[in-house]
Amino acid sequence: MKIEGKGTETYLYINGLKVNRPLRLSDNVELLPAESSPSPDSMISVSKTEVDFGITAVFLRQVTSQLKITSEAPESLVILAWNSLWDAVLLSAIYDCEAACNFQSDKPAEEFGSESYLSITNYHMRGLTFEPYELTQEDEIWIKSNYQKAKKLTNNNVFQDAVHSMETYRFHSLPKARLAIIWSGIEGLFGIQQELVFRLSLYIAHFLEPEDKEKRKQLFNSVKQLYKHRSSAVHGSKIKGKPHDHVVESAELLNRLIHKCIEHDGVPDVDELAI
């Protein structure tokens, strides 16, 4: 990833996530709607190499949102912009989508033209989707209430690992690899070393459903079943049933855990859950 600092304002264009109105994520970072319809000539003029032009031609017209980052000086701007890449990672994990920052520019996407500065930040070809996740009004309310807690939690290593697992599992085509990555994020949140299946199922059920005994029981049994598929994936055994469905259910579980950690303002306390 490459980020540069010029002036006191910069934009990171995002593919894969759509927003309908401005949302402030922090004092210096704002998530904005974006739409880009560049001409072929303007894309050619800002591209330094053929590879850059290829990425620009494929992704620039698919930009659906952007991060606006402001600062008082270029030195601090580049730090803020680099840290803002984490905003895309975090939003990807929260909404189980692929919000990729492929471009940095000195102008908002709507004003992009042949005179714009454009830099490729990501050469991994991520975020190519014609159905970006669109934030709902409920999502916007949740972000306003919880996003600062989410950012604070990224300083916690186990939460950070869980977010990375949630954000990157889809990069693998094999269900076994996807399950292994998702469950590494789930298991890391609890740090259990013994009686793994029972304790993990129990703690997850108590963490997610502390008030409802029946839902807690159902979730306990569901996690136990899902963990069997995880074990098959990790140990090279044949996965029973439909592997894709197990990936979806496991991703939904990790997503629920991430949301709960954010709303709870902390990762699970195993000692507390064991009582």
Side-chain angles (χ1 to χ4, degrees), residues 1 25 48 61 67 80-81 140 172 204 224 232 258 273:
M1 303 293 284
L25 302 183
K48 301 178 182 68
R61 289 178 177 172
L67 292 170
L80 286 168
E140 293 171 2
H172 297 266
I204 289 175
K224 281 179 64 179
S232 296
I258 288 172
L273 292 171

Side-chain angles (χ1 to χ4, degrees), residues 180-229:
I181 291 170
I182 292 168
W183 278 92
S184 70
I186 294 173
E187 293 178 46
L189 285 171
F190 294 87
I192 302 168
Q193 303 297 325
Q194 55 187 352
E195 297 179 290
L196 190 56
V197 181
F198 175 80
R199 288 177 181 267
L200 187 61
S201 303
L202 182 67
Y203 295 162
I204 289 175
H206 276 274
F207 186 62
L208 292 179
E209 298 292 351
E211 307 297 332
D212 192 315
K213 184 177 180 180
E214 188 57 36
K215 287 184 178 180
R216 193 160 60 242
K217 182 178 179 181
Q218 292 174 2
L219 184 56
F220 173 81
N221 291 324
S222 175
V223 174
K224 281 179 64 179
Q225 285 300 116
L226 278 177
Y227 197 84
K228 291 180 181 179
H229 303 308

